[in-house]
Amino acid sequence: MDYTRYVVQPGDSIYKIANAYKVEMSDIINLNHLKHPDRIYPGQVLLLPTSECQDITPGELSEPNFTYAMWLFDVYAGKDSELSAVTTYLYQAVVLDRPEFDELLRPLAYDELRHLEQLAWCIRFLGLDPRYGAFSKGRWFDWRSRYLNYSTDLCAILDYNMKDEAAAAKHYTDLAGKIPIPEIQTILLQISADEERHYQCLADAKMHFCGCESSESLLISKAETEAE
């Protein structure tokens, strides 16, 4: 699901916002995981659905291929994978234990969970069992909890997550270019777009809570300036 941000104004209600943006109240409530939708407050940031993603089901895929499936295992349940992202974001949401961080991290975790499911179906249809792990140098390695980032420093967490999201967006785009199956390419490019959006959400949070850009962003800006 694609979504946009909305800042709650004085006098707003979920009903009023839903009518204004022509979306379902239940979609707003579910997307933002609102336990008490009658208690929104001015300044609160809500995510509003803008359009439905075209999820591809495995029944539409063709040409089973073990090589392609093994490539997908890396982003499915390798070290830097969707499984690692889901568990990392949920862990961080619990450990930071503040509503504003929960509202930032949980939607990202649920996006990654959807990606995990999409990749699982792709791997299964391509001929392999989507168990949690990945291949490295021809050997199978089970996914491990030590892949998680257990930092509790907010700014370090945001910087780490931003780097992961930027790398993931590029990796999915690269994979889409390597796997010549249109349906799988569509899935991979959708996921890549999600990761780019995640990066921007995290970058905005970094500016708000830490008052600075990530070190990666600063290095990129410096390199671009020097190039000019």
Side-chain angles (χ1 to χ4, degrees):
M1 175 183 290
D2 291 336
Y3 53 77
T4 187
R5 296 181 185 183
Y6 174 79
V7 179
V8 176
Q9 302 299 310
D12 272 348
S13 66
I14 296 297
Y15 175 80
K16 181 178 178 180
I17 296 169
N19 277 349
Y21 285 84
K22 296 180 172 55
V23 297
E24 295 294 328
M25 291 176 58
S26 59
D27 287 341
I28 298 176
I29 293 169
N30 292 333
L31 182 59
N32 293 277
H33 314 291
L34 299 176
K35 295 180 180 178
H36 303 287
D38 57 328
R39 298 181 187 175
I40 60 174
Y41 52 89
Q44 181 177 0
V45 177
L46 296 178
L47 302 177
L48 304 182
T50 56
S51 64
E52 294 292 332
C53 290
Q54 297 179 348
D55 288 337
I56 307 298
T57 63
E60 297 175 69
L61 302 179
S62 59
E63 302 180 22
N65 186 297
F66 286 91
T67 299
Y68 297 159
M70 287 190 289
W71 288 348
L72 293 181
F73 267 111
D74 189 43
V75 290
Y76 170 65
K79 182 177 184 296
D80 299 313
S81 65
E82 298 298 333
L83 182 57
S84 296
V86 171
T87 48
T88 293
Y89 283 138
L90 290 178
Y91 171 80
Q92 291 170 351
V94 170
V95 170
L96 293 175
D97 194 25
R98 286 174 58 180
E100 59 268 39
F101 302 146
D102 191 84
E103 291 171 5
L104 168 69
L105 296 169
R106 283 187 186 274
L108 302 186
Y110 295 138
D111 272 355
E112 307 292 12
L113 183 60
R114 175 168 53 83
H115 299 164
L116 188 71
E117 181 180 15
Q118 289 176 310
L119 293 171
W121 281 114
C122 290
I123 290 169
R124 183 180 180 186
F125 189 79
L126 288 172
L128 293 182
D129 178 11
R131 62 184 62 188
Y132 296 133
F135 291 92
S136 178
K137 297 180 180 179
R139 294 181 57 196
W140 173 263
F141 292 89
D142 289 330
W143 182 86
R144 302 174 184 182
S145 61
R146 70 184 186 191
Y147 294 159
L148 273 64
N149 171 24
Y150 289 110
S151 172
T152 56
D153 178 86
L154 174 62
C155 296
I157 283 174
L158 292 173
D159 219 21
Y160 177 93
N161 292 349
M162 287 170 64
K163 290 178 181 178
D164 270 5
E165 293 290 357
K170 182 180 185 304
H171 195 178
Y172 280 114
T173 300
D174 291 344
L175 279 175
K178 292 169 60 178
I179 300 178
I181 300 176
E183 295 85 353
I184 292 182
Q185 288 176 328
T186 297
I187 291 173
L188 296 176
L189 292 175
Q190 284 178 353
I191 295 176
S192 178
D194 283 346
E195 308 297 22
E196 290 179 359
R197 177 167 46 79
H198 293 175
Y199 176 91
Q200 191 57 55
C201 289
L202 293 164
D204 291 345
K206 173 92 179 196
M207 287 291 291
H208 179 73
F209 294 111
C210 304
C212 63
E213 296 180 87
S214 71
S215 57
E216 180 183 27
S217 296
L218 292 172
L219 288 173
I220 292 173
S221 298
K222 181 179 179 182
E224 290 176 345
T225 301
E226 291 175 350
E228 294 175 356

